[in-house]
Amino acid sequence: MIHKVKGILFFLLIPCFFYAQTDIKSDSNNVATIPSGSGKVEMHLVPDSTNEQSSTELLVNPTIGLGTGMFSFYGDLYTKNFQTPTVSRLAYDLSFSQRLSDYLLFNFYVLFGKLGADERNAGLNYNRNLNFESQIRVGGVNLEYNFDNLLPDNRFASPYVSLGIESFEFLSKTDLKDRNGNKYFYWADGSIRNKDEADANASTAIMLKRDFKYESDIRELNLDGFGKYPERSFAIPVGIGAIIKINDFFDFKMGTTMHFTFTDYIDGVTAKSKGDRVGNKRNDKFMMTAVAVRYNFGVAKSKRRAEALKNKENYEGVDFTSIDADDADGDGVIDFADNCPGTPKGVAVDANGCPLDDDEDGVPNYMDDEKKSAKGALVNKRGITLNDSIIAYQANFYNDDIGAFATIENRDNETASPGKKEYTVELGTFKKGLPPNLMTKFLSISDISSTNTQDSTTVYTAGKFDNYQDAEKRKQQLISGGLPDVKVVSKQNGKYHNEVAPTSSNNYVTVASTKNNIPVVAANNASTNDISTANIPVNNSNTIKNTNTTNTSTSTNNANPSSNFNTSGIVLRVQLGAYKKRLSKSVFKNVKDLIEIKTDDGIYKYMTGSFTNMDAAAKHKADMLLNGYPGAFIAAYKDGKRISLQNGGATFEKKEETVPETTDNVAFTGANKKLVKFK
């Protein structure tokens, strides 16, 4: 028997010995060679301050667990040799674990607690009343397999099975007397008395109650003549359970382990016992059901080692000398000394890598429409000098405290509702998708917008205006561009309303709304709204009559939109993706000017931006890539048709893998998949 136990113990400890092998040969490149049964295994090590530290970091990765549970006895007592959990005794568990691999752990543990049973059988034919309680102390090792190589990584719980070898000792006692030293006699009527039921003076017997104080040593009593049998033995523990991960450091373990012992003396009853004490021929066994909390001391070291290894792999083979001399924008000034990175190719720069600005107006030459502005002159973002009237207008507009430049909204007395009223041109309302020819026509309109209503209808509009007159001008431009069915509508509180040209016979009152905060043009390269002299309405007075009062108010119409709103010419957009299902707005929460187009075959296309310059479109595409839309690409439209990027002004230095330019009704994933959830 002893030889079998030694063999099992040796078999269980082999993986631990192999893992703790210190005979690891490492060359100068930090490649360790570990002997194995089938040859040699190479392991790349991350160097610490000494080789000894690296070896220690590999070997020591402890997890400590502390748990509590119940000991249940399965032996010679009870008719069915089974003990209900309600009469089980309390036990404790302390464990030390070392991970051998992702799916295999080596555990050393100690258990201690009480194990006991109370059998009470009263009757004329069978009257056996046995009890015992034993102090149990266990020390052992096992291997724990958690199925990590078969289960998904993102699981909530990990099932496990375990097998090991252990040594334990027991000290069993029985309760034969009460606290006053009276011996128990069990009568057939179920009572306990101080005299035998067959005693001549049984009529004077006194009723007793068990005190459950186990005072008599079973081995010392030697009721069956077994002598001084050993009160220690070995056992094979077989366990099953689950581990729930709380975080990187803590996990929660719950499970059941059956301990198959090599002794039949725990309860003091065997098949060789005498009289009513005769038991079965099987060895005693006990089960522990427990829960435990475990803490992993090696997580921090493992994370540092993994991070160091990752950093080493990331920088392996990198030529830092060439990086120091890199010039990403190709302007002849290395990135380290370039104060203006990202200068367009071919633009002349100074010694600091910034585009030349001969007139020093803050607008570089390649963007300056007026190359020789007077020194110190105020200019707009195109480098054109602002005259006194423009500056005065913008100053007065910005400092307007009395509402002279406020926007005037006309509301009917009977139908007025809160919220700002906005005018636009409705291109069409569609419950189904757009046919290809109409879709490309719409995408050629630079100021197109799309709105989804509650009944799944999509409304396509062009432009946003503060007054009916500008909206009417935009409508006429679109009609001239080949869209005869457009109409002017107003949008208020999220709803669209048909509009007709206002006349003097309508009942209107004037309501001044808060004006937009438009900054005064700053000197040099300050960011401003471009306002030319021709686009500034000065002293534009509108007299609006009511049946009761006459109000005179000065208002400012929007700048003439014709230069921005022509439907001819090239329009460049950035497409983020095309999908067979409509996506939530949260997927594109970082896109302020999103356009959703639904095609007639059910494809949802998402686009952003409207550009006439390829450089600006390319910059916007780069912004979208950085914002988490890896499939973003540029699409070009002209005169209502899709055109190639070459015809749209693009030049390619190398071939890129993009979506074919001629396919408009193909589903294509452009957004980050982690942001997309379908229900």
Side-chain angles (χ1 to χ4, degrees):
M1 177 64 69
I2 298 299
H3 293 295
K4 292 182 179 179
V5 172
K6 289 182 178 178
I8 294 173
L9 184 62
F10 178 74
F11 173 76
L12 289 172
L13 294 178
I14 285 177
C16 182
F17 294 150
F18 175 76
Y19 187 75
Q21 182 66 252
T22 57
D23 186 18
I24 299 177
K25 297 181 179 179
S26 177
D27 59 20
S28 60
N29 294 323
N30 297 312
V31 179
T33 303
I34 303 176
S36 70
S38 60
K40 295 183 178 179
V41 178
E42 288 189 350
M43 179 183 296
H44 291 265
L45 304 178
V46 179
D48 282 337
S49 57
T50 65
N51 291 334
E52 183 179 356
Q53 290 177 349
S54 298
S55 178
T56 303
E57 193 167 359
L58 268 176
L59 295 174
V60 180
N61 188 16
T63 298
I64 296 180
L66 180 62
T68 184
M70 304 296 291
F71 272 151
S72 300
F73 178 70
Y74 298 87
D76 298 274
L77 274 62
Y78 304 116
T79 304
K80 297 182 179 180
N81 307 118
F82 174 78
Q83 183 180 49
T84 60
T86 56
V87 294
S88 300
R89 267 71 167 180
L90 194 63
Y92 301 94
D93 171 19
L94 178 63
S95 65
F96 300 85
S97 304
Q98 171 64 48
R99 184 173 296 278
L100 304 181
S101 67
D102 290 339
Y103 55 83
L104 196 63
L105 270 76
F106 174 78
N107 299 312
F108 169 75
Y109 60 89
V110 293
L111 310 176
F112 51 94
K114 292 183 178 180
L115 186 66
D118 293 276
E119 181 180 358
R120 180 77 171 94
N121 290 295
L124 296 176
N125 298 326
Y126 182 72
N127 187 17
R128 188 170 89 163
N129 300 278
L130 301 176
N131 61 74
F132 85 97
E133 185 175 80
S134 182
Q135 291 283 350
I136 301 291
R137 298 179 182 87
V138 183
V141 295
N142 67 22
L143 290 178
E144 181 182 300
Y145 174 66
N146 61 14
F147 302 92
D148 183 83
N149 56 328
L150 303 177
L151 299 176
D153 293 336
N154 57 348
R155 62 187 180 275
F156 171 73
S158 299
Y160 74 86
V161 293
S162 64
L163 177 65
I165 184 71
E166 62 191 15
S167 174
F168 73 99
E169 64 177 5
F170 57 94
L171 178 59
S172 301
K173 295 184 178 183
T174 184
D175 181 16
L176 300 179
K177 301 176 183 179
D178 68 3
R179 67 185 62 186
N180 298 317
N182 296 312
K183 184 178 179 180
Y184 300 130
F185 291 93
Y186 296 89
W187 286 31
D189 61 359
S191 63
I192 304 175
R193 309 199 184 197
N194 65 340
K195 293 182 180 180
D196 193 293
E197 192 171 7
D199 192 288
N201 298 320
S203 60
T204 62
I206 300 173
M207 299 282 290
L208 300 177
K209 288 186 178 181
R210 279 190 59 192
D211 60 1
F212 293 94
K213 300 294 183 182
Y214 299 87
E215 76 288 331
S216 304
D217 188 296
I218 294 178
R219 188 176 72 168
E220 296 298 329
L221 291 173
N222 198 22
L223 298 176
D224 300 312
F226 295 148
K228 298 289 184 178
Y229 55 80
E231 291 184 310
R232 63 181 59 86
S233 182
F234 291 96
I236 300 295
V238 179
I240 186 172
I243 298 174
I244 299 174
K245 182 177 180 181
I246 301 175
N247 54 41
D248 288 340
F249 294 92
F250 287 95
D251 57 48
F252 182 76
K253 181 180 181 180
M254 51 186 177
T256 299
T257 303
M258 180 64 78
H259 301 260
F260 296 91
T261 74
F262 295 160
T263 181
D264 196 17
Y265 291 114
I266 295 178
D267 54 7
V269 178
T270 74
K272 297 180 181 180
S273 296
K274 301 176 181 179
D276 291 339
R277 293 175 53 83
V278 175
N280 56 51
K281 296 181 180 180
R282 296 185 296 272
N283 288 338
D284 297 334
K285 52 185 176 290
F286 59 93
M287 181 174 71
M288 182 177 183
T289 302
V291 296
V293 175
R294 305 195 305 180
Y295 178 80
N296 187 356
F297 285 93
V299 169
K301 287 185 178 180
S302 298
K303 283 188 172 182
R304 289 196 301 268
R305 185 172 70 249
E307 185 176 353
L309 182 60
K310 181 179 179 181
N311 289 337
K312 180 183 177 184
E313 292 175 350
N314 288 342
Y315 294 111
E316 188 173 357
V318 176
D319 186 357
F320 291 98
T321 303
S322 63
I323 293 178
D324 291 339
D326 196 10
D327 178 15
D329 55 10
D331 59 0
V333 180
I334 61 174
D335 294 342
F336 183 77
D338 198 336
N339 293 339
C340 300
T343 304
K345 189 174 182 180
V347 174
V349 297
D350 57 20
N352 296 321
C354 293
L356 298 180
D357 179 17
D358 294 337
D359 53 8
E360 298 181 354
D361 59 359
V363 181
N365 292 345
Y366 77 97
M367 297 176 60
D368 200 336
D369 292 344
E370 186 178 272
K371 298 294 192 298
K372 296 182 180 180
S373 301
K375 189 172 183 179
L378 298 179
V379 298
N380 63 11
K381 64 182 181 181
R382 300 196 307 271
I384 299 176
T385 302
L386 301 176
N387 56 35
D388 292 342
S389 61
I390 295 177
I391 297 173
Y393 172 80
Q394 291 189 355
N396 292 334
F397 192 97
Y398 182 73
N399 296 318
D400 181 21
D401 295 326
I402 60 174
F405 292 87
T407 301
I408 302 300
E409 292 186 2
N410 297 327
R411 300 181 182 174
D412 188 278
N413 286 331
E414 297 180 356
T415 61
S417 60
K420 184 178 180 180
K421 190 174 185 180
E422 181 182 88
Y423 293 90
T424 186
V425 180
E426 182 181 295
L427 304 176
T429 302
F430 300 86
K431 279 196 172 183
K432 297 183 179 180
L434 292 175
N437 60 334
L438 192 56
M439 179 184 65
T440 54
K441 184 71 175 179
F442 280 7
L443 290 175
S444 298
I445 301 173
S446 59
D447 55 345
I448 189 174
S449 298
S450 64
T451 304
N452 298 321
T453 61
Q454 294 181 351
D455 61 351
S456 299
T457 299
T458 303
V459 180
Y460 296 98
T461 59
K464 296 177 182 179
F465 309 95
D466 294 333
N467 55 74
Y468 180 89
Q469 288 78 8
D470 286 343
E472 179 64 25
K473 292 179 182 178
R474 183 67 178 117
K475 168 188 168 183
Q476 297 302 325
Q477 292 172 355
L478 293 169
I479 292 175
S480 301
L483 296 173
D485 298 325
V486 298
K487 61 181 179 180
V488 176
V489 297
S490 61
K491 184 179 181 181
Q492 193 169 22
N493 297 329
K495 296 183 179 180
Y496 290 95
H497 307 279
N498 292 330
E499 288 289 334
V500 296
T503 63
S504 60
S505 61
N506 287 338
N507 242 2
Y508 285 95
V509 295
T510 61
V511 181
S513 65
T514 305
K515 68 181 179 62
N516 295 329
N517 185 14
I518 301 178
V520 177
V521 175
N524 295 335
N525 197 22
S527 177
T528 65
N529 292 331
D530 289 335
I531 303 178
S532 63
T533 307
N535 292 336
I536 301 178
V538 181
N539 296 329
N540 185 5
S541 300
N542 293 332
T543 302
I544 306 172
K545 295 183 179 181
N546 187 288
T547 55
N548 298 321
T549 61
T550 302
N551 296 330
T552 303
S553 175
T554 303
S555 66
T556 303
N557 293 331
N558 285 357
N560 184 2
S562 60
S563 61
N564 267 340
F565 297 159
N566 51 5
T567 56
S568 61
I570 296 174
V571 176
L572 302 173
R573 301 186 183 278
V574 177
Q575 181 167 324
L576 304 179
Y579 306 86
K580 293 182 179 179
K581 296 179 181 291
R582 171 173 283 162
L583 301 188
S584 169
K585 292 182 179 179
S586 62
V587 177
F588 304 99
K589 61 183 178 181
N590 296 325
V591 183
K592 297 181 179 180
D593 56 348
L594 183 71
I595 302 173
E596 179 186 281
I597 300 287
K598 182 181 179 182
T599 64
D600 58 353
D601 51 359
I603 300 297
Y604 291 89
K605 300 181 65 175
Y606 294 90
M607 312 191 81
T608 174
S610 175
F611 307 95
T612 58
N613 179 274
M614 182 58 70
D615 289 339
K619 183 180 183 301
H620 191 59
K621 169 191 170 183
D623 292 340
M624 292 299 101
L625 293 174
L626 294 176
N627 285 339
Y629 304 97
F633 64 93
I634 300 173
Y637 299 88
K638 181 179 181 182
D639 298 332
K641 296 180 181 180
R642 178 80 177 267
I643 62 174
S644 66
L645 294 184
Q646 288 88 342
N647 293 334
T651 58
F652 296 94
E653 294 183 3
K654 63 178 180 179
K655 185 176 181 181
E656 294 183 342
E657 295 182 2
T658 61
V659 174
E661 296 182 355
T662 57
T663 56
D664 279 319
N665 294 355
V666 177
F668 175 73
T669 300
N672 191 332
K673 293 183 179 179
K674 294 181 179 179
L675 301 176
V676 183
K677 293 183 179 179
F678 294 107
K679 292 186 179 180

